[in-house]
Amino acid sequence: MGLVAVCPAMVLVPGPQILIGAMDLLAARMSLALARLGYGLLLLAVIAVGLVLGLGLTGQSLPLASPPVDVPMVHDVIAAGVAAACYPVFFSMPYRLVGWPVVVGMAAHAVHWWAMASWHLSLPVAALLACLLVGAVLTPVAYVKQLPFAAIGFAAVVALVPGMFVFRVVAGLTELAVHPSQQVLLDVVNSGAVAGLTVISMAVGLAAPTRLRDWLLARRLRPRP
């Protein structure tokens, strides 16, 4: 029941703010980074508290850990395409731009699935590979077609934002306040570490191709002696 209730709450997760804030942090834009990350984390905390309270009223709870479930790659890729199509509509993106995040987002999720199911990589590493693909494909597309990278790029990967792990952190902190135990503490630390590392990996994967493009353009436009 707890996992079912999380699904509608995931739509409220401020993925773009978190990703852009992490990219600002990597670019040393500290004021913007702190403002965006603070806003995103505040929204996540409020969503998680509301979710935990709502579940508590019905006698349910959010599981702090769950066993891995094998999902066929076809199902994962199709679901990623649906999510990538929904977010542009949710953020009022022009319909002519929707095709790019859908196609590239499905390819990125295929890489993500393959990295975890076949190569047995961790969630942050799989997210890094998926976002590197998105950045490498959509950075030149956005430059050539004069499209906003933030719109098409983040829509392709926003479904990878680990909001579920943040919800588990809040649920675990609530559990620690009532029934403290070493296992609950370990679950909270593990969920927080996975969430933080995944967001950083996603930001690096998206920012690296863009920074490379900017460096190449600056080198090309640099006056020759």
Side-chain angles (χ1 to χ4, degrees):
M1 179 61 185
L3 294 178
V4 174
V6 166
C7 295
M10 291 297 293
V11 181
L12 302 175
V13 172
Q17 289 86 349
I18 294 173
L19 288 177
I20 296 175
M23 293 176 69
D24 287 335
L25 190 63
L26 293 174
R29 296 188 289 264
M30 301 305 297
S31 297
L32 282 174
L34 293 177
R36 284 174 172 150
L37 289 175
Y39 176 71
L41 291 176
L42 178 61
L43 285 181
L44 278 174
V46 172
I47 295 168
V49 169
L51 184 62
V52 171
L53 290 177
L55 289 173
L57 292 176
T58 59
Q60 303 292 329
S61 62
L62 186 66
L64 303 183
S66 58
V69 178
D70 292 330
V71 178
M73 185 175 71
V74 175
H75 296 175
D76 183 79
V77 170
I78 293 176
V82 173
C86 291
Y87 274 97
V89 176
F90 186 72
F91 290 109
S92 301
M93 186 186 302
Y95 289 109
R96 62 184 178 86
L97 304 180
V98 173
W100 286 109
V102 170
V103 174
V104 180
M106 292 174 71
H109 274 262
V111 172
H112 187 270
W113 183 93
W114 191 269
M116 295 190 67
S118 298
W119 298 340
H120 305 291
L121 299 178
S122 64
L123 184 62
V125 176
L128 173 64
L129 296 178
C131 291
L132 277 175
L133 173 65
V134 172
V137 173
L138 292 183
T139 294
V141 169
Y143 177 75
V144 172
K145 293 186 175 294
Q146 298 298 306
L147 300 176
F149 177 78
I152 59 176
F154 294 132
V157 301
V158 73
L160 294 175
V161 174
M164 177 64 182
F165 289 92
V166 178
F167 296 161
R168 287 176 174 173
V169 170
V170 175
L173 293 176
T174 305
E175 182 68 20
L176 278 176
V178 180
H179 304 292
S181 69
Q182 183 177 4
Q183 184 59 48
V184 173
L185 178 61
L186 290 175
D187 290 337
V188 170
V189 172
N190 179 69
S191 296
V194 170
L197 290 174
T198 301
V199 170
I200 293 174
S201 299
M202 294 177 67
V204 170
L206 291 174
T210 304
R211 298 299 294 272
L212 178 61
R213 180 207 62 187
D214 294 342
W215 179 79
L216 291 175
L217 288 175
R219 184 178 181 182
R220 181 180 178 182
L221 298 175
R222 185 181 306 164
R224 297 182 180 180

